Amino acid sequence: MKLIETPSPNFDERPQGLPIDMLVLHYTGMTSMEAALQRLCDPAAKVSAHYLIGEDGEIYRLVLEEKRAWHAGLSAWRGQGDVNARSVGIELVNPGHEFGYRSFPGAQMDALIGLSKQILSSHPIAPRNVVGHADVAPTRKQDPGELFDWRLLAKEGVGLWPWTFSPGQAVHAIPRLSHYGYDISDPDAAVQAFQRHFRPEKCDGIADAQCAGLLDALLKLVQE
Ligand SMILES: [Zn+2]
């Protein structure tokens, strides 16, 4: 896999003895690839990721996986904070909801799938721990958002997808979100993050029977 080395100064050491057990996907949310690359390498910005993938599928390596990149910020998953300490972070070039959100091109998705497979083969990352930034920071973030094709990733063995499900009981959706991994301190935000990932057709933040059923299916998959 061809990597374009573009070292960023924005990293520190991972805590010793903590495995890398999460993969976090982002969009850049900026008007151009160049602007994003510049920001991710700017010491004053104090942000980075391990990799940046252009819409043309070019992969830039900014931080070595053994180092702690600064991509997730204040975040939590399955009751654990400091997602940066235990994750690899990938930024996908996309203007995002603020500057003209659009689909992620095939070349970009292909590069992401190849890179993700390589990352999953070198770290103990469970399928449910392949998440979006919004999944781990639902009140602050929307990325990579409802146009991101999580289904395609799961088909390729990257992350989890509830292929079959039947409607569940809406009243159970919120506690199940928490069981699956979401921080539900703001339940509406958590539901919307879940929808952007698993029910992108309707992201209204309302925990309905379909959301509950999807969560039941996911929880069943992780128990098996
Ligand atoms: Zn992000």
Side-chain angles (χ1 to χ4, degrees):
M1 178 168 304
K2 190 180 148 234
L3 299 175
I4 303 168
E5 302 291 346
T6 317
S8 166
N10 299 333
F11 67 87
D12 54 13
E13 299 300 318
R14 293 185 186 271
Q16 282 207 334
L18 192 71
I20 296 171
D21 66 358
M22 293 184 69
L23 175 60
V24 183
L25 306 184
H26 303 258
Y27 66 46
T28 53
M30 295 185 72
T31 49
S32 72
M33 204 276 293
E34 291 73 21
L37 197 55
Q38 194 172 32
R39 180 169 155 78
L40 293 166
C41 293
D42 175 3
K46 293 187 163 53
V47 293
S48 63
H50 294 92
Y51 301 96
L52 170 73
I53 305 181
E55 290 184 300
D56 56 4
E58 298 264 44
I59 306 176
Y60 299 80
R61 173 155 62 184
L62 311 180
V63 175
L64 297 177
E65 287 176 26
E66 70 212 53
K67 303 294 184 187
R68 179 177 173 274
W70 303 340
H71 55 96
L74 192 62
S75 51
W77 186 246
R78 297 171 71 183
Q80 310 237 20
D82 198 358
V83 167
N84 284 339
R86 46 192 285 238
S87 64
V88 173
I90 301 177
E91 287 278 358
L92 300 162
V93 170
N94 188 294
H97 291 83
E98 202 176 340
F99 297 109
Y101 189 41
R102 57 189 183 222
S103 309
F104 298 81
Q108 191 179 30
M109 292 303 286
D110 287 347
L112 172 65
I113 288 164
L115 177 62
S116 299
K117 284 181 178 175
Q118 189 174 300
I119 293 166
L120 295 179
S121 71
S122 41
H123 305 287
I125 301 175
R128 84 198 272 190
N129 283 5
V130 178
V131 295
H133 199 185
D135 294 313
V136 300
T139 57
R140 300 188 303 113
K141 295 292 173 179
Q142 303 183 300
D143 60 316
E146 63 279 4
L147 293 181
F148 182 77
D149 195 349
W150 289 103
R151 207 182 298 230
L152 172 66
L153 253 66
K155 225 178 262 172
E156 293 284 341
V158 180
L160 208 56
W161 190 261
W163 296 106
T164 57
F165 73 98
S166 27
Q169 290 190 277
V171 67
H172 294 148
I174 305 291
R176 271 165 202 178
L177 271 179
S178 169
H179 291 159
Y180 189 68
Y182 287 83
D183 173 1
I184 55 162
S185 40
D186 181 334
D188 295 352
V191 169
Q192 199 165 30
F194 172 82
Q195 290 170 337
R196 287 187 201 284
H197 190 138
F198 294 107
R199 214 272 303 271
E201 304 79 25
K202 193 178 178 192
C203 304
D204 58 0
I206 297 169
D208 55 28
Q210 190 182 19
C211 293
L214 290 164
L215 275 160
D216 288 345
L218 285 166
L219 286 169
K220 204 169 159 221
L221 286 173
V222 298
Q223 279 160 8
E224 279 162 4

